[in-house]
Amino acid sequence: MHEDVQAYGLWSLVFLNSAVFIFFAFSFFKPTTPRDWRSFGAYSAFIVALFTEMYGFPLTIYLLSGWLQTRYPGIDWLSHDAGHLLETLFGWRLNPHFGPFHLLSFVFIGGGFMLIATAWRILYDAQKKGGLATTGVYARIRHPQYVGFVLVMFGFLLQWPTLLTAAMFPILTVMYWRLARREERDTLDRHGEAYARYMQDVPAWFPRLTTSPA
């Protein structure tokens, strides 16, 4: 692994990367309701926690340093490369930015952002007309934006796992599930039978592979 001049304490990078990924998601998601802001705020908290450990203070490395030094001697755990824990623990000896977990993380992060962006346009048009979003990606899955946020966070976990974000991930996933359930109850109140039929035809979290209900 190559050596870094300064691995942590780079607070300008913490701020810059957090701002970029939060603004990037904001430009796609465009929260308007309190429910939107709650889900977006949860994502933002995850991003800030992630980049704080990635560039600011490696809390996970410090907490696990005793175990890591015992099990994996000879590794400079305070180097930036070692923070790619999955690459390091599975023995990837080359640049971790080209490791399998890092490359796979791009698939989840990019796919998640694409899902959020694609869904937002359909949802926005449907809300302007006072109707239901049932076309495009909504014809295959009921909650593409929540699924998108989960995919993005899972991708970042593959790329740079920390104790804090690993603990936050299941909590935020459950929070998105509860927000989706509440959203469905509200939509049923407004659209009644039409939305009930839509719920029967389209799965909530895992996309339907066929283009039309059987």
Side-chain angles (χ1 to χ4, degrees):
M1 297 187 178
H2 63 268
E3 298 293 335
D4 292 328
V5 174
Q6 183 178 356
Y8 297 103
L10 305 171
W11 296 105
S12 59
L13 286 180
V14 174
F15 175 81
L16 180 62
N17 281 278
S18 299
V20 166
F21 280 95
I22 290 172
F23 179 77
F24 193 56
F26 181 86
S27 67
F28 293 145
F29 189 57
K30 301 183 188 304
T32 54
T33 67
R35 184 180 299 133
D36 291 343
W37 280 107
R38 191 180 306 173
S39 61
F40 185 72
Y43 161 81
S44 300
F46 181 93
I47 290 297
V48 171
L50 169 74
F51 285 113
T52 296
E53 287 217 41
M54 188 180 291
Y55 294 111
F57 183 80
L59 178 63
T60 298
I61 298 294
Y62 278 114
L63 292 177
L64 299 180
S65 59
W67 179 79
L68 290 171
Q69 289 290 0
T70 302
R71 294 290 302 272
Y72 302 91
I75 294 177
D76 178 9
W77 286 104
L78 291 181
S79 70
H80 186 78
D81 283 357
H84 297 264
L85 280 177
L86 292 178
E87 311 292 357
T88 307
L89 297 181
F90 279 86
W92 184 259
R93 299 299 180 189
L94 303 178
N95 189 327
H97 298 92
F98 298 102
F101 290 104
H102 198 98
L103 294 178
L104 185 61
S105 74
F106 289 139
V107 175
F108 283 96
I109 295 170
F113 277 127
M114 287 180 61
L115 199 55
I116 294 169
T118 303
W120 178 82
R121 173 53 61 184
I122 298 168
L123 183 62
Y124 176 75
D125 289 342
Q127 288 178 336
K128 275 205 313 183
K129 299 172 183 173
L132 289 171
T134 58
T135 60
V137 68
Y138 279 93
R140 297 178 181 274
I141 187 171
R142 296 206 302 271
H143 303 292
Q145 291 192 308
Y146 292 143
V147 172
F149 278 122
V150 171
L151 290 178
V152 170
M153 291 189 295
F154 182 72
F156 277 124
L157 272 181
L158 286 178
Q159 185 177 124
W160 194 278
T162 74
L163 292 176
L164 183 57
T165 53
M168 291 175 71
F169 180 74
I171 296 172
L172 295 180
T173 300
V174 170
M175 188 199 75
Y176 285 127
W177 174 76
R178 294 182 64 180
L179 285 172
R181 292 291 300 272
R182 193 176 306 168
E183 184 177 289
E184 288 181 342
R185 288 196 296 269
D186 293 345
T187 310
L188 275 172
D189 289 340
R190 289 198 305 273
H191 295 279
E193 184 61 26
Y195 191 68
R197 287 197 302 272
Y198 171 72
M199 291 177 67
Q200 289 178 346
D201 293 338
V202 179
W205 302 103
F206 297 98
R208 190 180 63 194
L209 299 180
T210 56
T211 55
S212 60

